[in-house]
Amino acid sequence: MTLHIKQLLRAKTLKIISVAYTLCITFLLLFPATHVPKIDVPSFDKVGHVFVFTILVIFWALFAFAKAKEARAKIWWVVIGAFIYGIIIEALQGLVFQSRTADGWDIIANCAGILLGWLIFQKIKTLFVFKN
């Protein structure tokens, strides 16, 4: 089991997972909303944004850390990049796609997900993955 986890946490594997996940969520966040089923739970979409950005930051932070363990500052670039990505997605939803609307609360939910992802990454880093 440990061997499989170590193989999964290699930089090359993490890069593939991170890029694939980013492309997938980009498509889903820009996909016409007319085809998305309506869920009548208050703020359900905000929970989705938190979850999506939490996973995004965890994947990219693991990749950045695996790529260059001594360059811990790269993790902050992941956080900044995720924040900019979230703003770009919201801008595209509001400006380009007629079936989507930009929402400032989505950006706040994205930020909460980024923070949660960073905190979870810190825990993963210290407990399981990267012992210095």
Side-chain angles (χ1 to χ4, degrees):
M1 173 89 161
T2 306
L3 178 63
H4 295 301
I5 292 172
K6 285 184 179 183
Q7 289 175 342
L8 181 64
L9 295 175
R10 290 190 337 223
K12 183 178 177 180
T13 306
L14 286 167
K15 183 177 184 179
I16 292 168
I17 292 169
S18 300
V19 169
Y21 182 77
T22 303
L23 291 173
C24 181
I25 64 171
T26 300
F27 174 76
L28 291 174
L29 291 171
L30 297 178
F31 190 74
T34 56
H35 297 92
V36 177
K38 187 75 173 162
I39 299 173
D40 289 331
V41 176
S43 301
F44 183 77
D45 67 318
K46 304 309 177 248
V47 173
H49 279 265
V50 170
F51 178 77
V52 163
F53 276 80
T54 298
I55 302 303
L56 179 75
V57 168
I58 291 170
F59 282 154
W60 280 107
L62 284 170
F63 165 68
F65 201 79
K67 185 75 174 161
K69 289 182 184 179
E70 64 279 349
R72 296 191 190 344
K74 288 188 175 192
I75 306 309
W76 289 108
W77 285 111
V78 170
V79 170
I80 293 166
F83 177 72
I84 292 169
Y85 171 78
I87 290 174
I88 290 170
I89 289 293
E90 285 304 311
L92 288 174
Q93 285 179 346
L95 297 173
V96 178
F97 299 97
Q98 295 175 355
S99 64
R100 292 288 199 162
T101 58
D103 185 357
W105 290 108
D106 285 349
I107 294 173
I108 292 171
N110 296 348
C111 290
I114 291 166
L115 177 62
L116 185 59
W118 179 78
L119 291 170
I120 291 171
F121 165 74
Q122 295 301 319
K123 199 65 159 171
I124 290 170
K125 181 182 75 168
T126 57
L127 289 179
F128 302 109
V129 183
F130 304 105
K131 301 283 185 186
N132 289 335

